[in-house]
Structures are given as C-alpha cells and as structure tokens.
Amino acid sequence: MPAVNWNWKRSVMAAAMAVAAQGAAAAVPLPALGANPAEVSVSGLSAGGFMAVQLHVAYSATFKRGAGVVAGGPYYCAEGSVLNATGRCMTHASSIPVSTLVSTTNSWAASGAIDPVSNLTGSKVYLFSGTSDNTVKQPVMDDLKTYYQSFVPAANTVYKNNLGAGHAMVTDDFGGACATTASPYINNCGFDLAGEILQHLYGPLNARNNGTLGGSFTEFNQGEFSGGSGMAATGWLYTPAACAAGSGNSCRVHVVLHGCKQNYTDVGDQYVKKTGYNRWADTNNIVLVYPQTSTAATNSCWDWWGYGSVNYAKKSGPQMAAVKAMVDRVTGGGGGSALPAPTGVGTSGATSSSMVIGWTAVAGASGYNVYRGGSKVNASPVAGTSYTDTGLAPSTSYSWTVTGLTAANAEGAMSAAATGTTTGGSGGGTCFTASNYAHTVAGRAYALWGLTYAYGSGQSMGLWNIYVTTTLKQTGPNYYVIGSC
C-alpha cells in the first residue's frame, strides 16, 4: 500500500476536514450512458489492485472483459484479518494459502455470494509488479498469478514483472523516478502501463490521443451508491465525446481504482488525469469511472481486509455493491428494460434474531428480492418496500442488498449494501471477560498501535493493556463482539 501509516487519530481528523470540503462541492448524478454491458473491465493499483481482483471475481458476470492488477494479491488474501493484510499479503512474511482461497472462491460461488466462476474463463488478466516494489512484494503477485490459473486460461494472462518500478502506477511520461515509492505514487518508467492494460483487455486499439482530449470530466455524486462506507461524497467520470448519453451501446466501460493515500483529497486530480488512461479512452470509446474512497477509510484504502464489513469481498460488500451500481448506471439508459438499483436501503427494528430492511420504491418494479451476505433470503418476491429477515444470530453484524423485479421477474441492478447488528440474546454464544491484553494472547482480539480490536467484528475495545477489561461474546468461528451473555 502507498505510505501505509496506521495512525488512526490522524485519519479521523483528516476525514472530518475532507467531509467538510466535499460537502461544499457541487456534483451531478452519474449519467446513464447506455454503454455496452458486455464490454466492462476494471483495473487498480495496490489497495485498488486487491479491490479490482475482488470486483472481477465476485462480479464476474459484470466485469466480463477482465482485470488489470498492479501490486495486488489473490482474492480474499487477508481472510478478514488486518494482520494477514499487512503480513503475508504485502510483505509475504508468511505463505499465502492459495489453494484455500481457491476453495473459498468455489464455495462462495456455489452459494451465490459471488457470481459463478465459469464467467472467468472468458475474461483476461493483466498483472504488473515492479522489481523495486517493497510494499507489495513480487511473491504476492506471483501467488495472484497462481490463483488465477485455477480460473483464467493461461493464454488470457499477461504478467509483467521485469521493470524496476517502485510501488506506483507506471507511465511513460509523468511522475517520479521509476524506482521510487512516494506520493503521488505515479512513476515515469518509460512504460505505458495503462495502455498495455487496456490493449490486453480489449484487443488492438486506435492510437492514443496525445493532444487535447475531446471528451469531458464529470464529478458525480457517489453518495447515492455508497451511503458512506469509507467512500467519498463524489467520484469522477471521463466520457469520450462519442459516448455522450444517447449514443447507443457502442462504448466500453473501464473502472479505475486508486491505491491508498491516492484519492482526490490526497493527491488532487493526478490519479484521475495523469495515469494515462484517458488518452486511450478518448480514441477508443471507453468510458472511465474513477470511484473515490474518503479519508475516513483507513489510509484512504479500499476495503480489501474487512475494515468496513465482514462481507467486504462478496457481492454484498458495501463498497463492492456501490461500484457495481455505478457500472449499472453507466451501462443503463440504452433502451433496455433493466431496473435501477433501489436507494435508501437501511436497517431498523433489530432483535436478537431478526432485522427489518427497508428501501425506497423503484419506479416500474413489481416486487423486490432481498439478499443477506449475497444469498437471497425471501422465498417469493417482496411486494412492499420492507422485509423482516429472521433466523439471525444474536449480537452479530449482517449486510443486506436489494434488487427490483420487473413484471416478467427480470432482476434489476443491486443496491448498495446496508449493515445492521442484532441485539444480544439470553442464549447462544460464549462470553469471555478479561483484560484487553489477555484477549489478544488468547486470540480473541488483536492489537494495533496501542489499541485493541475484536477479531471478526473489528470493534474497538480501547487501550491494549492489562488494566482495561472487556467482555467479548463469541457469535461464530473466530468472530467476537463486545457484549454479554
């Protein structure tokens, strides 16, 4: 990750200033351009690389063209643990259990938490790792290549790993010295990485536009998709002139994900405008979506280890569903009948075993489906705009998404995720009362920069020492919440 610094207090202060600044910004709704839904791909650097893998694998029916990954790692590499994220998934201090991650992928696909893995067979993957990258080391990317071998044909994969680049997005004419790792994490290595990625994913392209771009940049409202979730109030869109609304489905879509400490608040428009994607998009009818994290997110990173949701790598992950909804919007408006994603999804009325999920009605919808953790929970279409989900475990966090249904039962776009936690019950679970230090020794919590966090839920327990006492309730395998029995 670029400039990883687990300074939580500074992140919170920066988040407050960013919210104030972004709140004043005027943003427009993301337009429905009618772009071709069969021509969608994604790429990203560092945390954005891990996120690109998550989107490609979990939403393989959407990101059909494939993914470009710069300094990322295998799907679900962290397995919900920040210690795994900063250890094996970055420094490769311990081995990454690739075969286990492949098994998890197949299991989640079978349950419907992610799309069928068969979709990956027809996609392409471009991998890049610099030989001077000491942040996400090359063995991690080697393991990503091994992971993809279980799903993507070897002929569809390119792995560039012989350039002396540091931890950065690489260009052929902008940025710092090639081997450096420093803000804004864009390096001039004399190599057009954005162009290589796009040409591998889409095949031969027209020459890039090295002059004045003919398209337009739009700062759009991300809030309608994300509802927070560590994402900024606004994101960015580049639209080639030929891809303006109403131009039909001749245009492609590529989602570009920045790395940690690289969002608009951190580095301005440098990642949006200086990484080399736009000049290729301009001459090849590729719409570029640049989603943005907020500084409320840990180090402005995308959630690839579970800081915001236990379902972070599934279709129901809040950030995952938000980016998917953006793609659905950009590919909508082309005369099809697909319904837009429901908005205003929220939770209420929590009990120890149930939760009420509500949302705003979608025009044209005859009913709705509700998903918990990526799996549909309603036996028949929901007629109204609320649903009570039952059979839940006490003191446990869950995530829900909603889709609209046409009269022909065709499912529309999936909403952004809403999370909620059930109340504590009189039964179920086992409680442990101990000092925060003892909890970490017993493996119920972990310490980070002097603070203690419960495994699974990630809830903050306060200072890491022998004097602070906390009661943790185990509600699942390696999952603990602050509570009582």
Side-chain angles (χ1 to χ4, degrees):
M1 301 302 103
V4 171
N5 177 357
W6 303 104
N7 190 324
W8 298 80
K9 288 185 178 180
R10 187 171 69 183
S11 295
V12 171
M13 291 174 65
M17 292 186 289
V19 169
Q22 291 168 344
V28 301
L30 182 64
L33 300 175
N36 191 341
E39 295 288 324
V40 179
S41 60
V42 61
S43 67
L45 162 69
S46 194
F50 282 94
M51 187 70 170
V53 173
Q54 287 180 189
L55 287 165
H56 180 215
V57 174
Y59 281 114
S60 57
T62 296
F63 295 94
K64 297 184 181 73
R65 275 294 188 171
V69 186
V70 183
Y75 179 74
Y76 201 51
C77 182
E79 294 186 293
S81 166
V82 68
L83 298 181
N84 286 342
T86 56
R88 71 191 192 192
C89 300
M90 292 173 63
T91 66
H92 212 263
S94 59
S95 61
I96 297 173
V98 176
S99 61
T100 298
L101 302 179
V102 169
S103 296
T104 298
T105 303
N106 287 320
S107 176
W108 284 357
S111 71
I114 64 175
D115 287 344
V117 295
S118 57
N119 296 323
L120 295 168
T121 304
S123 66
K124 294 183 177 181
V125 173
Y126 188 101
L127 308 177
F128 180 90
S129 176
T131 60
S132 296
D133 188 341
N134 292 314
T135 305
V136 176
K137 295 189 174 181
Q138 236 173 47
V140 177
M141 285 292 291
D142 296 343
D143 284 347
L144 174 58
K145 179 184 179 183
T146 300
Y147 169 87
Y148 266 128
Q149 286 173 350
S150 295
F151 305 106
V152 178
N156 289 5
T157 301
V158 167
Y159 184 20
K160 174 74 172 177
N161 61 353
N162 60 354
L163 190 65
H167 190 70
M169 180 63 192
V170 167
T171 78
D172 62 352
D173 59 3
F174 178 83
C178 187
T180 61
T181 296
S183 184
Y185 309 103
I186 304 172
N187 289 357
N188 182 356
C189 293
F191 184 76
D192 183 5
L193 182 53
E196 293 297 318
I197 290 172
L198 293 176
Q199 290 177 93
H200 177 64
L201 297 180
Y202 290 110
L205 297 178
N206 298 323
R208 72 190 195 188
N209 179 4
N210 289 324
T212 302
L213 297 177
S216 60
F217 290 95
T218 302
E219 186 177 13
F220 67 89
N221 176 16
Q222 271 192 169
E224 64 173 310
F225 305 105
S226 67
S229 306
M231 295 180 67
T234 61
W236 287 86
L237 179 77
Y238 180 74
T239 308
C243 298
S247 63
N249 67 352
S250 61
C251 292
R252 302 146 165 168
V253 178
H254 185 72
V255 176
V256 186
L257 300 166
H258 62 73
C260 298
K261 304 302 291 182
Q262 236 181 358
N263 64 28
Y264 199 87
T265 301
D266 294 318
V267 301
D269 64 6
Q270 293 183 88
Y271 203 83
V272 173
K273 295 185 178 180
K274 299 294 187 180
T275 46
Y277 288 96
N278 305 314
R279 52 196 178 188
W280 285 99
D282 202 53
T283 53
N284 291 282
N285 294 353
I286 304 174
V287 175
L288 298 173
V289 184
Y290 293 92
Q292 299 290 301
T293 64
S294 75
T295 49
T298 303
N299 289 297
S300 306
C301 300
W302 292 101
D303 189 2
W304 63 274
W305 68 87
Y307 70 72
S309 169
V310 296
N311 297 312
Y312 69 94
K314 299 178 181 178
K315 292 197 295 184
S316 59
Q319 293 182 1
M320 299 280 283
V323 175
K324 168 64 162 61
M326 294 177 200
V327 172
D328 289 339
R329 174 69 62 80
V330 172
T331 56
S337 59
L339 295 172
T343 59
V345 180
T347 59
S348 62
T351 71
S352 61
S353 61
S354 66
M355 185 74 69
V356 178
I357 299 89
W359 56 90
T360 302
V362 174
S366 62
Y368 303 87
N369 283 335
V370 178
Y371 292 82
R372 182 206 320 139
S375 298
K376 189 163 72 76
V377 294
N378 53 298
S380 56
V382 179
T385 55
S386 67
Y387 177 81
T388 301
D389 193 9
T390 59
L392 310 179
S395 300
T396 303
S397 295
Y398 294 94
S399 179
W400 290 268
T401 51
V402 183
T403 60
L405 297 169
T406 66
N409 272 345
E411 206 165 30
M414 184 170 287
S415 73
T419 58
T421 303
T422 53
T423 60
S426 57
T430 302
C431 282
F432 304 87
T433 300
S435 71
N436 284 351
Y437 173 79
H439 281 308
T440 62
V441 172
R444 297 185 287 269
Y446 61 91
L448 195 61
W449 287 92
L451 297 176
T452 316
Y453 300 87
Y455 268 122
S457 67
Q459 293 175 321
S460 177
M461 299 159 57
L463 293 174
W464 181 53
N465 58 38
I466 62 173
Y467 304 107
V468 178
T469 298
T470 306
T471 298
L472 291 180
K473 181 177 182 179
Q474 184 173 10
T475 60
N478 204 32
Y479 197 99
Y480 299 87
V481 298
I482 299 172
S484 59
C485 296

